[in-house]
Amino acid sequence: MPRTEEQFREMREKSKTLIMETALELFSNQGFHSTSIQKIAKEAGIAIGLVYNYFKSKEELLDAIIQNGIQEFVHTLHSQVQSSDVLTKENFSKMLTVYFGMIKSRIKIWRLFIKIGLEPGVAQVSHKHIGEFSQHMNVISMRYFEGQGFDDPKAKAAVLNAMLHGAFLSYILHGDEDSFELMKREIIEKFV
């Protein structure tokens, strides 16, 4: 029996996901420059041509992985924030809790950001997407602090974001669960 268009679409999605997950694993462990398309294909157990069927270059594949990671993160955070003009303490606390949870649950993508952020020639890819995400977090934080009546919401948001970055980097680089949980608790108590 011939396959349906839906079955072909599912097969294409599975192949693309396999390529991206394999590349994520290799890029985050070995670095971007040390990972070839051939190595990705071999590790995924597919033909090299299939990789090029979905991605024109290794750079395009990297960009897709990073963009996908950031979009997932932003989408998950947005699901915690109501669309009203004023964010409640409860919603903001949930959003920060989700932020910390996603750092722990998607550690490979965050290690990739750190690793390629230091690699010449590809650092700008991660910096661009991380900058977009940081700006997004800053807007949400400022909206919250404005709604809560803080005197200088911009400064408060900048301090919160710096602390979130510090907690993020500390966990990614050291993996200390206890310290990460302590930072999470302290940040939420201080800002919510």
Side-chain angles (χ1 to χ4, degrees), residues 62 74 77 114 159 179:
L62 175 66
V74 168
L77 290 178
I114 301 299
V159 170
S179 293

Side-chain angles (χ1 to χ4, degrees), residues 20-88:
M20 290 175 69
E21 287 176 358
T22 303
L24 170 60
E25 183 76 30
L26 292 169
F27 289 158
S28 66
N29 289 328
Q30 300 175 9
F32 178 78
H33 293 298
S34 298
T35 303
S36 66
I37 291 288
Q38 183 176 2
K39 192 181 281 187
I40 294 167
K42 182 178 179 184
E43 190 72 25
I46 59 173
I48 195 169
L50 187 59
V51 176
Y52 285 112
N53 190 41
Y54 294 102
F55 304 99
K56 293 176 187 167
S57 66
K58 191 168 69 164
E59 290 79 6
E60 185 178 295
L61 173 56
L62 175 66
D63 189 64
I65 291 167
I66 292 173
Q67 193 169 23
N68 190 51
I70 292 291
Q71 285 175 350
E72 178 187 349
F73 205 50
V74 168
H75 175 74
T76 302
L77 290 178
H78 266 296
S79 70
Q80 300 302 314
V81 179
Q82 293 179 349
S83 61
S84 65
D85 290 336
V86 178
L87 291 172
T88 65

